[in-house]
Amino acid sequence: MTTLANLEVTASRALRDPNNATFQLAEVDDILNSGIDAIADFFPKEVMDASITISAGVSTYAVPATFTSIFRVDIWSAAGSTGTFLQTLEPAIGAGPNSGWEHHAGTLLLPPSVPIPTGDNLHLFGYGGYIQLSASSSVTDLPSTAITALMVYVQVEAYDRMQLDRVMFQQWQAMPGNNDVSLLQLFRIAANWHARWDRERVRLRSIRKQG
């Protein structure tokens, strides 16, 4: 299990700032969480949920917060291992509410004229973001391959910040091992990490299922 504390140590070491003289832990945490959010844009977390049970006369249901998008909705006769698969609902095609299900504003809209027996269970399949980390003991749900990309993002963001903040750069430059790096060299270092980040996005990019 990789905790926020583990990520802080790895990120600070990657920035040549192991004692957080330049990037305080709060700022490192902000960069890490920003990177976690950025990774979900091209390498989303796969999510499944079976918590929605059909109620009589109800065609709208709150979607669990773990979802950012849904690509399939299945109907089962009951929840869990005792249920039997019945059918897959078709997604809406923009021809009105009865053309299929829709996910909008955190709500699942079912076609009101398509009868679904009360007590049936919905199985949702889709994608979501990764956990944002707050406490040092918080455990990330990023897979290890994405943690590598996260550390690349950390360096891209941190070096960009130093280019814009001369005081921050001078603090970083004063540390042993960094005092021979000029501002021009920092620009080149940052450009190299931007190129590496682009390669990481290509490496991890996954095609989202559309149902």
Side-chain angles (χ1 to χ4, degrees), residues 49-68:
D49 181 82
S51 65
I52 297 176
T53 299
I54 298 297
S55 299
V58 179
S59 60
T60 61
Y61 296 87
V63 173
T66 49
F67 285 88
T68 55

Side-chain angles (χ1 to χ4, degrees), residues 115-184:
I116 303 175
T118 300
D120 279 2
N121 186 251
L122 299 183
H123 287 206
L124 310 182
F125 301 82
Y127 300 99
Y130 297 97
I131 297 170
Q132 292 283 291
L133 307 174
S134 55
S136 60
S137 58
S138 299
V139 177
T140 184
D141 54 352
L142 276 178
S144 58
T145 185
I147 290 177
T148 300
L150 177 60
M151 291 305 139
V152 174
Y153 178 92
V154 166
Q155 291 172 93
V156 167
E157 180 65 22
Y159 290 136
D160 279 353
R161 292 187 185 195
M162 284 195 290
Q163 291 180 68
L164 299 174
D165 190 326
R166 188 63 60 88
V167 173
M168 179 182 288
F169 170 64
Q170 290 173 344
Q171 288 177 332
W172 180 83
Q173 189 185 39
M175 290 185 292
N178 299 336
N179 47 30
D180 60 343
V181 179
S182 67
L183 190 57
L184 179 59

